[in-house]
Amino acid sequence: MTISVTEALQASPWAGQPVPTSGEGWIARAAEVAGILAADAVERDRAQAVPQAEIDLLKAAGLVTLLGPAAHGGAEQPWTTAYKVIREVASGDGSIGQLLAYHYLWAWAVRLVGTADQVAAVEELYTTNNFFFGGAVNPRDNDLVITDLGEEIEFNGRKTFSTGSKISDLTVLEGVLEGTDKHIFAIVPSKQEGIVYQDDWDNLGQRLTESGGVEITGVRVPWAAAAGYVDKEFAPFDPLTYATLNLPAIQQVFTEFYLGIAKGALKAGTAYTQDVTRAWPYGGDNKEKATEEWYILEGYGRLQADLWAAEALADAAGEELSGLLHAERESVTPEQRGHAAVRVAAAKVKAIDIGLEAGTKVYELTGARATSNKVGLDIFWRNIRTHSLHDPVAYKRREVGEYALLNKLPEPSWYT
């Protein structure tokens, strides 16, 4: 019997269970969450309701504080664990996998540029309270305008996308100080009058990510909360190479929930084939069961092999990037950053390839009846097709090509 996410929460699935203490334990916990999400993912996708229960499920499972300091109740796991946790959760529901991925990014953002005191304060705040992050940061939009009010700064403007902010406790804002070229980001409470969500996210896929627009009006924070600023000047550390790891980090989590979506498509397809798909009786080499059909076996074999290969590449890229994210900030070199970025680009390319292929090929392997809206196999292709357009994958292929042909490493940008 299928139960809803809300019903699963009421059953308190992890009550009385010990908290995982290893990466493998947390990945297993994420797989349990994925199983709960997958049970009614299609119904929730169709309803397109605000995913508050889903976020509560992530909190109840302990996944929200996976990267948080142990001193404040967090799991203090490395990014290598976080990547695989994202992948698992996305295999159950691509939207929730994306929300968790973005949460980890925003929870780590203060480490990229913040002062030591700011890092300590933010990590204690979100870990102790089990807070969930959203963000209103999109470089393709006009920047929010920041006004210096003396002891405080004030954010005003509009962002087209604010993934997760509506169901978050904390929101990352980023803008430019009026009359200067200084970019400033700060973390603010999501529930306040000055943040109004437009509820205009109505896209093909990733329907539960609450990625609609947001209006920011008169949101104030003290200068002390401006990440990396001391006495109104940006000077957290030198050199700033570490601060540019945010873009490879973003691209890597994209890769992880793409792979999760592909994994989910394969899991749903094989289950349907085992239970429902019928053998084709007009081929001259007739089989009794669909699971004996050579073209079905060959098709799933190819998808599984491609997925394993893409996962192996992502694991290698993730391990390299994780090593930099956990390194001393001053120690990271431009060469290390560039090499990690090109590996991340390659992994993203292959994740998109297998995700789109799995999302369409699965219909050939399940049969005509699997096109029923009740079955809902369309969710996988819709989800990865939607998010994989975030930035053109052709540019990622070019980055890998420039490295292969010219030994040129990607330069830091808003998308590299």
Side-chain angles (χ1 to χ4, degrees):
M1 181 179 67
T2 299
I3 64 172
S4 68
V5 172
T6 301
E7 290 170 330
L9 273 173
Q10 292 171 345
S12 302
W14 300 286
Q17 291 188 21
V19 175
T21 57
S22 66
E24 292 77 10
W26 282 110
I27 294 164
R29 174 68 60 88
E32 293 172 3
V33 171
I36 294 170
L37 291 171
D40 64 348
V42 174
E43 291 86 348
R44 290 184 293 101
D45 174 84
R46 302 281 195 257
Q48 208 164 340
V50 177
Q52 188 59 60
E54 291 88 332
I55 301 307
D56 291 342
L57 182 70
L58 297 178
K59 290 182 175 183
L63 298 182
V64 168
T65 56
L66 184 77
L67 295 172
H72 303 304
E76 203 167 323
Q77 285 292 306
W79 268 102
T80 47
T81 300
Y83 295 142
K84 293 179 181 179
V85 163
I86 293 166
R87 199 184 301 174
E88 285 294 336
V89 172
S91 73
D93 187 321
S95 288
I96 309 309
Q98 180 185 338
L99 287 172
L100 182 61
Y102 280 39
H103 161 77
Y104 288 151
L105 289 170
W106 299 132
W108 196 267
V110 69
R111 287 203 180 198
L112 293 168
V113 296
T115 66
D117 288 344
Q118 289 170 337
V119 172
V122 169
E123 293 194 336
E124 179 178 3
L125 173 67
Y126 98 82
T127 306
T128 301
N129 293 285
N130 206 17
F131 280 166
F132 194 82
F133 276 88
V137 179
N138 176 19
R140 295 296 302 275
D141 279 343
N142 291 329
D143 290 303
L144 297 178
V145 176
I146 302 174
T147 305
D148 185 354
L149 301 178
E151 295 297 315
E152 296 179 313
I153 54 176
E154 181 180 274
F155 289 82
N156 288 280
R158 188 184 189 280
K159 284 293 186 180
T160 305
F161 303 107
S162 60
T163 297
S165 290
K166 187 171 183 177
I167 39 78
S168 67
D169 304 293
L170 301 170
T171 291
V172 175
L173 298 181
E174 189 273 341
V176 173
L177 187 64
E178 200 170 19
T180 76
D181 60 356
K182 294 180 178 179
H183 285 263
I184 301 175
F185 89 79
I187 295 166
V188 303
S190 301
K191 311 301 192 289
Q192 56 176 294
E193 290 183 1
I195 301 180
V196 178
Y197 304 103
Q198 303 301 302
D199 295 323
D200 54 0
W201 180 247
D202 186 23
N203 284 46
L204 179 71
Q206 296 299 85
R207 291 174 173 176
L208 301 187
T209 59
E210 291 297 327
S211 291
V214 63
E215 194 77 33
I216 308 296
T217 306
V219 174
R220 298 184 179 185
V221 297
W223 261 107
Y229 279 78
V230 177
D231 297 328
K232 300 187 180 183
E233 293 296 328
F234 184 70
F237 58 92
D238 189 61
L240 293 176
T241 300
Y242 186 91
T244 69
L245 290 175
N246 61 326
L247 273 305
I250 289 170
Q251 296 289 322
Q252 181 67 23
V253 301
F254 291 177
T255 296
E256 297 301 344
F257 62 82
Y258 295 164
L259 289 173
I261 293 169
K263 183 176 179 179
L266 204 53
K267 187 183 301 183
T270 54
Y272 186 93
T273 296
Q274 289 167 355
D275 295 340
V276 182
T277 303
R278 297 178 298 175
W280 186 249
Y282 306 110
D285 183 24
N286 298 344
K287 308 296 183 184
E288 291 186 7
K289 300 178 182 178
T291 53
E292 298 172 342
E293 283 279 16
W294 70 268
Y295 78 92
I296 291 178
L297 294 169
E298 185 271 344
Y300 280 124
R302 183 158 58 85
L303 290 178
Q304 184 65 80
D306 288 348
L307 178 58
W308 279 338
E311 286 181 317
L313 179 57
D315 288 345
E319 186 172 352
E320 183 172 348
L321 181 59
S322 179
L324 299 182
L325 288 169
H326 291 286
E328 294 293 328
R329 295 194 296 191
E330 294 82 355
S331 71
V332 177
T333 68
E335 291 74 23
Q336 289 175 316
R337 190 261 187 212
H339 190 268
V342 77
R343 294 287 294 279
V344 168
K348 182 186 178 186
V349 166
K350 299 313 294 181
I352 292 174
D353 287 348
I354 181 56
L356 292 174
E357 176 70 5
T360 54
K361 182 71 174 178
V362 70
Y363 281 106
E364 296 179 29
L365 305 177
T366 51
R369 298 187 184 200
T371 62
S372 168
N373 285 327
K374 183 179 180 180
V375 177
L377 289 179
D378 60 297
I379 193 173
F380 304 105
W381 181 87
R382 287 190 294 101
N383 281 345
I384 196 162
R385 178 68 288 174
T386 297
H387 198 281
S388 62
L389 300 175
H390 176 278
D391 53 286
V393 68
Y395 279 86
K396 292 299 167 211
R397 294 192 182 98
R398 187 185 75 171
E399 290 168 17
V400 178
E402 287 179 329
Y403 177 75
L405 184 63
L406 306 173
N407 200 31
K408 179 182 177 182
L409 294 173
E411 293 290 335
S413 77
W414 282 114
Y415 286 91
T416 304

